[in-house]
Amino acid sequence: DIIAQEQNRDQKHLVFVEVRYRQQQTFGGALASVDKKKQRKLINTANWYLQQYKLINKAACRFDVFAISGEPQKLVYQWIKDAFYAKY
């Protein structure tokens, strides 16, 4: 949903952020909706992006999840950095 760049002391990271909203916690809520199948899809999409922009082996990457849950008048936000890793 979001591709951002973060600069820290040592290097730049490309951050691929999956944004999920679930009004109810049925089936685990927003965080649980980013299951292994969804993670594989995000990793494949990130690989495509890196290939398109010739960034393979040139950019450090991170996968975050930004989860939103609750009723619209009382939302709860969770930002999980390094929510999962790509395994090669």
Side-chain angles (χ1 to χ4, degrees), residues 20-26 29-30 68-75:
R20 302 296 270 193
Y21 170 70
R22 294 291 183 272
Q23 189 170 17
Q24 304 202 1
Q25 292 298 311
T26 310
I68 307 162
S69 58
E71 298 290 329
Q73 61 274 18
K74 191 175 180 184
L75 295 174

Side-chain angles (χ1 to χ4, degrees), residues 27-72:
F27 306 112
L31 283 177
S33 71
V34 186
D35 58 10
K36 293 291 183 189
K37 183 178 177 182
K38 183 62 176 179
Q39 291 174 22
R40 278 192 303 274
K41 187 175 179 181
L42 294 167
I43 290 166
N44 289 338
T45 301
N47 282 330
W48 176 87
Y49 180 89
L50 294 170
Q51 289 173 3
Q52 285 294 116
Y53 292 96
K54 297 176 178 40
L55 296 171
I56 296 286
N57 298 321
K58 294 181 181 176
C61 297
R62 187 178 85 211
F63 294 94
D64 292 1
V65 175
F66 190 80
I68 307 162
S69 58
E71 298 290 329

